[in-house]
mmCIF file of all heavy atoms in Angstrom:
data_model
loop_
_atom_site.group_PDB
_atom_site.id
_atom_site.type_symbol
_atom_site.label_atom_id
_atom_site.label_comp_id
_atom_site.label_asym_id
_atom_site.label_seq_id
_atom_site.Cartn_x
_atom_site.Cartn_y
_atom_site.Cartn_z
ATOM 1 N N GLY A 151 118.292 80.849 95.386
ATOM 2 C CA GLY A 151 117.452 82.057 95.535
ATOM 3 C C GLY A 151 116.163 81.715 96.284
ATOM 4 O O GLY A 151 116.064 80.685 96.925
ATOM 5 N N GLN A 152 115.197 82.582 96.193
ATOM 6 C CA GLN A 152 113.927 82.370 96.816
ATOM 7 C C GLN A 152 113.082 81.445 95.952
ATOM 8 O O GLN A 152 113.144 81.465 94.749
ATOM 9 C CB GLN A 152 113.193 83.716 96.995
ATOM 10 C CG GLN A 152 113.914 84.675 97.895
ATOM 11 C CD GLN A 152 113.871 84.217 99.336
ATOM 12 O OE1 GLN A 152 112.944 83.575 99.763
ATOM 13 N NE2 GLN A 152 114.901 84.552 100.090
ATOM 14 N N PRO A 153 112.243 80.620 96.611
ATOM 15 C CA PRO A 153 111.361 79.783 95.817
ATOM 16 C C PRO A 153 110.376 80.617 95.004
ATOM 17 O O PRO A 153 109.940 81.661 95.470
ATOM 18 C CB PRO A 153 110.676 78.916 96.865
ATOM 19 C CG PRO A 153 110.782 79.716 98.131
ATOM 20 C CD PRO A 153 112.062 80.472 98.056
ATOM 21 N N GLY A 154 110.084 80.152 93.841
ATOM 22 C CA GLY A 154 109.055 80.838 93.006
ATOM 23 C C GLY A 154 107.685 80.656 93.647
ATOM 24 O O GLY A 154 107.519 79.835 94.567
ATOM 25 N N GLY A 155 106.750 81.335 93.176
ATOM 26 C CA GLY A 155 105.398 81.181 93.704
ATOM 27 C C GLY A 155 104.720 82.505 93.842
ATOM 28 O O GLY A 155 104.992 83.423 93.096
ATOM 29 N N ALA A 156 103.865 82.558 94.815
ATOM 30 C CA ALA A 156 103.027 83.728 94.925
ATOM 31 C C ALA A 156 103.751 84.857 95.663
ATOM 32 O O ALA A 156 104.416 84.670 96.665
ATOM 33 C CB ALA A 156 101.783 83.369 95.733
ATOM 34 N N GLN A 157 103.704 85.996 95.033
ATOM 35 C CA GLN A 157 104.231 87.233 95.646
ATOM 36 C C GLN A 157 103.174 88.287 95.348
ATOM 37 O O GLN A 157 102.949 88.653 94.226
ATOM 38 C CB GLN A 157 105.548 87.634 95.059
ATOM 39 C CG GLN A 157 106.086 88.907 95.642
ATOM 40 C CD GLN A 157 107.437 89.287 95.046
ATOM 41 O OE1 GLN A 157 107.923 88.679 94.078
ATOM 42 N NE2 GLN A 157 108.013 90.347 95.525
ATOM 43 N N GLY A 158 102.506 88.731 96.351
ATOM 44 C CA GLY A 158 101.370 89.626 96.159
ATOM 45 C C GLY A 158 101.727 91.074 96.036
ATOM 46 O O GLY A 158 102.879 91.473 95.916
ATOM 47 N N ALA A 159 100.690 91.871 96.074
ATOM 48 C CA ALA A 159 100.822 93.339 95.989
ATOM 49 C C ALA A 159 101.226 93.911 97.341
ATOM 50 O O ALA A 159 100.634 93.588 98.354
ATOM 51 C CB ALA A 159 99.512 93.950 95.580
ATOM 52 N N ALA A 160 102.271 94.694 97.345
ATOM 53 C CA ALA A 160 102.765 95.310 98.567
ATOM 54 C C ALA A 160 102.148 96.676 98.775
ATOM 55 O O ALA A 160 101.844 97.386 97.789
ATOM 56 C CB ALA A 160 104.286 95.471 98.520
ATOM 57 N N ALA A 161 101.864 96.991 100.049
ATOM 58 C CA ALA A 161 101.286 98.287 100.357
ATOM 59 C C ALA A 161 101.713 98.740 101.767
ATOM 60 O O ALA A 161 102.021 97.886 102.596
ATOM 61 C CB ALA A 161 99.750 98.223 100.301
ATOM 62 N N VAL A 171 93.811 98.090 98.101
ATOM 63 C CA VAL A 171 94.594 97.156 97.287
ATOM 64 C C VAL A 171 93.588 96.246 96.617
ATOM 65 O O VAL A 171 92.844 95.515 97.278
ATOM 66 C CB VAL A 171 95.588 96.324 98.086
ATOM 67 C CG1 VAL A 171 96.363 95.387 97.212
ATOM 68 C CG2 VAL A 171 96.528 97.232 98.845
ATOM 69 N N ASP A 172 93.534 96.299 95.257
ATOM 70 C CA ASP A 172 92.647 95.462 94.476
ATOM 71 C C ASP A 172 91.207 95.498 95.014
ATOM 72 O O ASP A 172 90.497 94.484 95.102
ATOM 73 C CB ASP A 172 93.162 94.031 94.404
ATOM 74 C CG ASP A 172 94.419 93.877 93.581
ATOM 75 O OD1 ASP A 172 94.569 94.633 92.600
ATOM 76 O OD2 ASP A 172 95.254 93.000 93.921
ATOM 77 N N ARG A 241 99.434 89.518 104.708
ATOM 78 C CA ARG A 241 100.352 89.308 105.827
ATOM 79 C C ARG A 241 101.120 90.612 106.092
ATOM 80 O O ARG A 241 101.404 91.387 105.147
ATOM 81 C CB ARG A 241 101.264 88.153 105.579
ATOM 82 C CG ARG A 241 102.122 88.276 104.366
ATOM 83 C CD ARG A 241 102.858 87.007 104.032
ATOM 84 N NE ARG A 241 103.810 87.210 102.987
ATOM 85 C CZ ARG A 241 104.988 86.677 102.919
ATOM 86 N NH1 ARG A 241 105.390 85.828 103.844
ATOM 87 N NH2 ARG A 241 105.836 86.957 101.941
ATOM 88 N N ILE A 254 102.335 95.600 104.280
ATOM 89 C CA ILE A 254 101.589 94.330 104.100
ATOM 90 C C ILE A 254 101.789 93.821 102.680
ATOM 91 O O ILE A 254 102.183 94.575 101.767
ATOM 92 C CB ILE A 254 100.068 94.515 104.371
ATOM 93 C CG1 ILE A 254 99.430 95.445 103.361
ATOM 94 C CG2 ILE A 254 99.834 94.948 105.804
ATOM 95 C CD1 ILE A 254 97.889 95.455 103.408
ATOM 96 N N GLU A 255 101.534 92.548 102.514
ATOM 97 C CA GLU A 255 101.525 91.912 101.195
ATOM 98 C C GLU A 255 100.184 91.193 101.024
ATOM 99 O O GLU A 255 99.807 90.426 101.855
ATOM 100 C CB GLU A 255 102.690 90.919 101.103
ATOM 101 C CG GLU A 255 102.739 90.222 99.779
ATOM 102 C CD GLU A 255 103.907 89.202 99.704
ATOM 103 O OE1 GLU A 255 104.047 88.419 100.678
ATOM 104 O OE2 GLU A 255 104.606 89.211 98.699
ATOM 105 N N VAL A 256 99.456 91.541 99.980
ATOM 106 C CA VAL A 256 98.140 90.984 99.718
ATOM 107 C C VAL A 256 98.284 89.919 98.584
ATOM 108 O O VAL A 256 98.784 90.244 97.513
ATOM 109 C CB VAL A 256 97.170 92.095 99.276
ATOM 110 C CG1 VAL A 256 95.776 91.517 99.042
ATOM 111 C CG2 VAL A 256 97.105 93.190 100.371
ATOM 112 N N ILE A 257 97.785 88.749 98.841
ATOM 113 C CA ILE A 257 97.895 87.604 97.942
ATOM 114 C C ILE A 257 96.490 87.041 97.721
ATOM 115 O O ILE A 257 95.704 86.878 98.612
ATOM 116 C CB ILE A 257 98.824 86.493 98.481
ATOM 117 C CG1 ILE A 257 100.216 87.063 98.702
ATOM 118 C CG2 ILE A 257 98.857 85.284 97.586
ATOM 119 C CD1 ILE A 257 101.160 86.141 99.385
ATOM 120 N N GLY A 258 96.206 86.704 96.437
ATOM 121 C CA GLY A 258 94.981 85.982 96.153
ATOM 122 C C GLY A 258 93.826 86.816 95.608
ATOM 123 O O GLY A 258 92.861 86.254 95.118
ATOM 124 N N LEU A 259 93.930 88.148 95.701
ATOM 125 C CA LEU A 259 92.864 88.965 95.189
ATOM 126 C C LEU A 259 93.013 89.107 93.652
ATOM 127 O O LEU A 259 92.020 89.293 92.932
ATOM 128 C CB LEU A 259 92.859 90.366 95.823
ATOM 129 C CG LEU A 259 92.566 90.373 97.303
ATOM 130 C CD1 LEU A 259 92.604 91.810 97.829
ATOM 131 C CD2 LEU A 259 91.196 89.769 97.561
ATOM 132 N N ASN A 260 94.257 89.029 93.186
ATOM 133 C CA ASN A 260 94.564 89.090 91.752
ATOM 134 C C ASN A 260 95.502 87.948 91.452
ATOM 135 O O ASN A 260 96.692 88.171 91.220
ATOM 136 C CB ASN A 260 95.167 90.471 91.396
ATOM 137 C CG ASN A 260 95.494 90.568 89.933
ATOM 138 O OD1 ASN A 260 95.123 89.726 89.133
ATOM 139 N ND2 ASN A 260 96.268 91.630 89.559
ATOM 140 N N PRO A 261 94.956 86.699 91.418
ATOM 141 C CA PRO A 261 95.859 85.529 91.245
ATOM 142 C C PRO A 261 96.773 85.613 90.052
ATOM 143 O O PRO A 261 97.897 85.138 90.083
ATOM 144 C CB PRO A 261 94.888 84.349 91.140
ATOM 145 C CG PRO A 261 93.656 84.830 91.796
ATOM 146 C CD PRO A 261 93.559 86.300 91.525
ATOM 147 N N ALA A 262 96.300 86.176 88.956
ATOM 148 C CA ALA A 262 97.139 86.286 87.746
ATOM 149 C C ALA A 262 98.395 87.133 88.002
ATOM 150 O O ALA A 262 99.460 86.891 87.451
ATOM 151 C CB ALA A 262 96.360 86.827 86.568
ATOM 152 N N GLY A 263 98.293 88.119 88.847
ATOM 153 C CA GLY A 263 99.411 88.992 89.140
ATOM 154 C C GLY A 263 100.265 88.520 90.264
ATOM 155 O O GLY A 263 101.331 89.050 90.541
ATOM 156 N N ASP A 264 99.833 87.476 91.022
ATOM 157 C CA ASP A 264 100.558 86.980 92.186
ATOM 158 C C ASP A 264 101.698 86.030 91.823
ATOM 159 O O ASP A 264 102.607 85.825 92.585
ATOM 160 C CB ASP A 264 99.617 86.270 93.181
ATOM 161 C CG ASP A 264 98.688 87.237 93.888
ATOM 162 O OD1 ASP A 264 98.952 88.457 93.825
ATOM 163 O OD2 ASP A 264 97.732 86.782 94.526
ATOM 164 N N LEU A 265 101.556 85.301 90.706
ATOM 165 C CA LEU A 265 102.536 84.258 90.402
ATOM 166 C C LEU A 265 103.730 84.836 89.653
ATOM 167 O O LEU A 265 103.603 85.216 88.481
ATOM 168 C CB LEU A 265 101.877 83.175 89.574
ATOM 169 C CG LEU A 265 100.751 82.451 90.304
ATOM 170 C CD1 LEU A 265 100.098 81.455 89.391
ATOM 171 C CD2 LEU A 265 101.259 81.787 91.569
ATOM 172 N N ARG A 266 104.846 84.949 90.359
ATOM 173 C CA ARG A 266 106.099 85.366 89.725
ATOM 174 C C ARG A 266 107.240 84.976 90.646
ATOM 175 O O ARG A 266 107.024 84.712 91.793
ATOM 176 C CB ARG A 266 106.081 86.878 89.459
ATOM 177 C CG ARG A 266 105.880 87.741 90.715
ATOM 178 C CD ARG A 266 105.778 89.223 90.265
ATOM 179 N NE ARG A 266 105.420 90.006 91.377
ATOM 180 C CZ ARG A 266 104.177 90.418 91.662
ATOM 181 N NH1 ARG A 266 103.186 90.012 90.941
ATOM 182 N NH2 ARG A 266 103.943 91.172 92.676
ATOM 183 N N SER A 267 108.416 84.965 90.124
ATOM 184 C CA SER A 267 109.543 84.624 90.908
ATOM 185 C C SER A 267 109.882 85.664 91.912
ATOM 186 O O SER A 267 109.772 86.872 91.617
ATOM 187 C CB SER A 267 110.756 84.410 89.951
ATOM 188 O OG SER A 267 111.919 84.136 90.745
ATOM 189 N N ARG A 268 110.312 85.299 93.135
ATOM 190 C CA ARG A 268 110.657 86.247 94.166
ATOM 191 C C ARG A 268 112.008 86.879 93.907
ATOM 192 O O ARG A 268 112.271 87.986 94.347
ATOM 193 C CB ARG A 268 110.633 85.588 95.531
ATOM 194 C CG ARG A 268 109.265 85.271 95.970
ATOM 195 C CD ARG A 268 109.352 84.744 97.413
ATOM 196 N NE ARG A 268 108.026 84.413 97.907
ATOM 197 C CZ ARG A 268 107.194 85.276 98.476
ATOM 198 N NH1 ARG A 268 107.530 86.497 98.653
ATOM 199 N NH2 ARG A 268 106.037 84.896 98.922
ATOM 200 N N ALA A 269 112.903 86.175 93.283
ATOM 201 C CA ALA A 269 114.270 86.700 93.078
ATOM 202 C C ALA A 269 114.822 86.141 91.776
ATOM 203 O O ALA A 269 114.508 85.031 91.406
ATOM 204 C CB ALA A 269 115.165 86.301 94.266
ATOM 205 N N PRO A 270 115.671 86.911 91.129
ATOM 206 C CA PRO A 270 116.291 86.415 89.905
ATOM 207 C C PRO A 270 117.248 85.286 90.243
ATOM 208 O O PRO A 270 117.814 85.229 91.344
ATOM 209 C CB PRO A 270 117.026 87.614 89.324
ATOM 210 C CG PRO A 270 117.251 88.500 90.516
ATOM 211 C CD PRO A 270 116.132 88.261 91.467
ATOM 212 N N PRO A 271 117.430 84.353 89.364
ATOM 213 C CA PRO A 271 118.396 83.256 89.644
ATOM 214 C C PRO A 271 119.819 83.834 89.740
ATOM 215 O O PRO A 271 120.112 84.832 89.154
ATOM 216 C CB PRO A 271 118.281 82.333 88.417
ATOM 217 C CG PRO A 271 117.644 83.178 87.355
ATOM 218 C CD PRO A 271 116.832 84.248 88.053
#
Side-chain angles (χ1 to χ4, degrees):
Q152 296 291 329
Q157 179 181 5
V171 179
D172 291 327
R241 58 190 190 142
I254 64 169
E255 180 181 46
V256 181
I257 300 174
L259 295 179
N260 179 10
D264 289 347
L265 297 177
R266 58 185 173 265
S267 175
R268 289 187 180 272

